[in-house]
Amino acid sequence: ELLHNRIVKFAHGDRHITLGGVDLTFDSAAARTVLRELEQDARSDDVRLLLAHRPDVIFALQQPSRVDLVVAGHTHGGQVQIPFFGPPITLSDVPRAVAAGGFHRVDGVPIYVSRGIGCEHGDAPRVRFLCPPELSLLTLRTAAE
């Protein structure tokens, strides 16, 4: 199901999950509505997940945020990684280490940035160096597990 500026709510076992997805630019009126709804605290016991193409969406969240995890891509890990430095170009305003991929925290909000399997289709060269593609499988668990 495509989550283009939408929120779906469902249960998994005894857990209630609120899952939102926003469009590429995440600053449209529809995307801002999704972000605002995710930040509302109508239910305090649900898990709130945000799927976004660009990791920069993390800067559009309130502080402190009610979102439990942001999952994004866009950077392809920088496509080129320089040892002890990371990606020289990321096309993102998140810190270089975050844009390089993996699990991080930005302003206290957990974020996972996937390097993905493709390459930038714009002006960047279609090459990867020390930045292997990845297909991620995230398993969410409670703190007690």
Side-chain angles (χ1 to χ4, degrees), residues 17-111:
I17 300 168
T18 301
L19 177 63
V22 293
D23 60 25
L24 176 65
T25 59
F26 69 84
D27 64 353
S28 67
R32 286 193 308 268
T33 299
V34 168
L35 296 176
R36 203 169 33 252
E37 187 175 331
L38 280 173
E39 295 286 8
Q40 292 174 351
D41 199 16
R43 270 193 92 102
S44 62
D45 63 339
D46 65 336
V47 175
R48 304 220 179 159
L49 308 173
L50 173 60
L51 304 177
H53 179 83
R54 298 181 62 211
D56 302 72
V57 73
I58 200 135
F59 301 125
L61 299 176
Q62 296 175 1
Q63 294 301 317
S65 180
R66 179 60 185 88
V67 173
D68 296 301
L69 176 65
V70 175
V71 178
H74 177 68
T75 64
H76 299 277
Q79 293 180 200
V80 172
Q81 298 261 348
I82 298 172
F84 308 108
F85 181 76
I89 299 171
T90 64
L91 302 178
S92 175
D93 290 328
V94 296
R96 182 182 317 281
V98 175
F103 182 78
H104 302 273
R105 287 186 183 271
V106 175
D107 296 330
V109 179
I111 182 170

Side-chain angles (χ1 to χ4, degrees), residues 124-138:
R126 294 188 180 185
V127 64
R128 283 186 179 262
F129 179 72
L130 298 177
C131 185
E134 71 175 2
L135 182 62
S136 305
L137 175 63
L138 304 178

